[in-house]
Amino acid sequence: MSTKTARPPWHDRYVTLDGMRGIAALAVALFHFNISQAPHGYVAVDFFFALSGFVLCASYLPRWQEGMGTGQFMMKRLVRLYPLFLVGVLLTTTVGLVRLHTGGDTSLPLRTILISTGINAAMLPSPLTGTLFPLNVPAWSLFYELVANLAMVVLLFRLPRVALVAVCLASAWLFAPAVLENGSGNIGAVWGEWPLALARTLYSFCAGMLIAQLRQPAHRPATLAGLLCLVAIAVMLLADPKWLAAAHYDLACTLVISPLLVWLGSRVEPSRRLAPAAWFVGEVSFALYAVHWALIEPMRYFKDDLQYDEVLMAFVFLGTCLAVAWFCVRWIDVPARTLLSDMLRRRKQARVVGTDHPTDG
């Protein structure tokens, strides 16, 4: 009798892209924890947008062409994004309330915290503060991710490639001068930057869609190039070249390097030894991004107040982020998405049955 060997969870996945996404999430968290250790960590957001455009276009364009509607697509995206997004909002609000109670933070009154939390929990920016998500600042990019998802299914799927190129060029034309004026590409978290944040999002998102519409290889070989992609994303986010102005470096990363890494990462895989680790950091990357802001101030107490070694605390912080993210994925995200998906499936089946067997009247 033959026995089937269970396939690993990373089978048939873009493992290199998984690993790059995980490294990018770690770099963002490190940038927020200690800017000097990841001075350009915020450029990971542009990589995320390009990667999202690639993955969603590759996965959903054929389904949209077969008749998937806007509501069905957006509901799938909400099921994917909302559970961990809500966890991040609740955790950061809890930390904010504790800091307010102990006098550690008096920047926001209690009324603003509570109202903003209610609005932010609906994945909407708060109108009460200059920052879109005052208690979980990185959530601004998740809001624009949702905006880009809606634009994708309503408009971008309908555009020919030349029109997507035009969107990229127009977005770069608006975004690049703002980066040069600002001195960096760290733009998008506040209300006054919304046109630039939208341009930043659309450039990378459409670039990812264009990459997805190129001919994809029938087989992705496990070569040294897979490892080099993982190294390259880390170098891009941790490097701080003194011979190049920060704004120029950020533009190079956003406009050229990030899309190029998505293109290359979608064509090669890491070795079998690296695959489990690459898959794991990719699997918890969204959770890590969603919740890491809540861990920053508690962990900074050891670094800033108790003067623990910065390098040691960086590893402790990132390790804590990974552990919390894994817990959230294992015990919150997966059960919540399964429950929501089952509810939607039963609702769809009920509609089909109701249509096939109308009541007598």
Side-chain angles (χ1 to χ4, degrees):
M1 180 185 297
S2 62
T3 59
K4 293 184 178 180
T5 303
R7 291 177 174 177
W10 52 88
H11 180 77
D12 284 340
R13 291 184 60 91
Y14 290 96
V15 182
T16 300
L17 294 180
D18 281 340
M20 294 167 75
R21 182 172 63 240
I23 291 170
L26 289 168
V28 171
L30 184 58
F31 166 74
H32 290 145
F33 182 69
N34 189 352
I35 293 175
S36 64
Q37 293 177 320
H40 293 273
Y42 51 84
V43 180
V45 171
D46 304 284
F47 174 78
F48 289 145
F49 286 141
L51 179 58
S52 182
F54 170 81
V55 172
L56 292 181
C57 186
S59 299
Y60 286 101
L61 180 57
R63 301 187 219 180
W64 177 81
Q65 292 170 335
E66 293 172 359
M68 173 180 279
T70 299
Q72 185 181 1
F73 173 80
M74 292 304 297
M75 191 59 66
K76 286 182 176 292
R77 296 306 296 148
L78 284 171
V79 168
R80 175 65 184 94
L81 298 174
Y82 190 71
L84 288 174
F85 176 89
L86 182 60
V87 170
V89 169
L90 295 178
L91 286 178
T92 52
T93 298
T94 300
V95 172
L97 290 173
V98 170
R99 285 173 54 77
L100 179 66
H101 178 71
T102 59
D105 186 359
T106 58
S107 60
L108 294 176
L110 178 61
R111 177 177 178 273
T112 300
I113 290 177
L114 296 179
I115 295 176
S116 294
T117 296
I119 296 172
N120 289 165
M123 296 193 81
L124 296 173
S126 171
L128 304 182
T129 58
T131 304
L132 303 183
F133 294 82
L135 294 164
N136 192 14
V137 178
W140 75 267
S141 65
L142 302 180
F143 168 73
Y144 280 100
E145 165 74 19
L146 204 60
V147 171
N149 291 173
L150 181 59
M152 168 183 269
V153 72
V154 171
L155 175 63
L156 300 179
F157 275 160
R158 306 175 191 276
L159 298 180
R161 293 181 188 178
V162 66
L164 289 177
V165 172
V167 173
C168 286
L169 293 176
S171 299
W173 178 80
L174 180 63
F175 181 64
V179 173
L180 295 175
E181 181 179 353
N182 185 58
S184 81
N186 191 12
I187 294 174
V190 300
W191 275 104
E193 296 172 346
W194 74 264
L196 304 176
L198 187 59
R200 180 183 184 183
T201 304
L202 287 177
Y203 174 83
S204 294
F205 202 81
C206 290
M209 290 183 65
L210 286 167
I211 294 169
Q213 294 181 37
L214 298 175
R215 175 177 290 184
Q216 301 299 311
H219 172 67
R220 297 188 300 275
T223 67
L224 181 61
L227 172 61
L228 292 179
C229 283
L230 302 177
V231 173
I233 190 74
V235 170
M236 180 184 80
L237 299 173
L238 300 181
D240 188 22
K242 301 301 182 183
W243 48 270
L244 186 63
H248 293 150
Y249 182 77
D250 289 349
L251 284 175
C253 293
T254 298
L255 302 180
V256 180
I257 300 176
S258 288
L260 184 61
L261 287 177
V262 171
W263 174 80
L264 182 58
S266 67
R267 282 160 168 72
V268 294
E269 296 292 4
S271 67
R272 290 184 179 180
R273 292 183 179 181
L274 278 179
W279 169 82
F280 173 76
V281 293
E283 186 72 4
V284 302
S285 60
F286 177 49
L288 193 154
Y289 188 85
V291 307
H292 78 271
W293 193 262
L295 303 175
I296 290 176
E297 290 304 326
M299 298 297 290
R300 276 183 179 165
Y301 169 77
F302 297 95
K303 177 175 71 73
D304 298 338
D305 296 346
L306 299 184
Q307 298 294 306
Y308 282 25
D309 181 74
E310 288 189 354
V311 175
L312 171 64
M313 287 312 304
F315 280 104
V316 173
F317 170 70
L318 294 180
T320 303
C321 287
L322 285 170
V324 173
W326 174 84
F327 176 88
C328 289
V329 169
R330 178 66 176 82
W331 298 107
I332 299 176
D333 185 44
V334 171
R337 283 198 283 150
T338 300
L339 176 63
L340 291 172
S341 297
D342 288 343
M343 290 173 58
L344 292 174
R345 189 178 302 110
R346 288 195 297 269
R347 182 178 176 184
K348 181 179 179 180
Q349 291 173 346
R351 286 201 303 267
V352 171
V353 171
T355 302
D356 292 341
H357 304 282
T359 57
D360 295 332

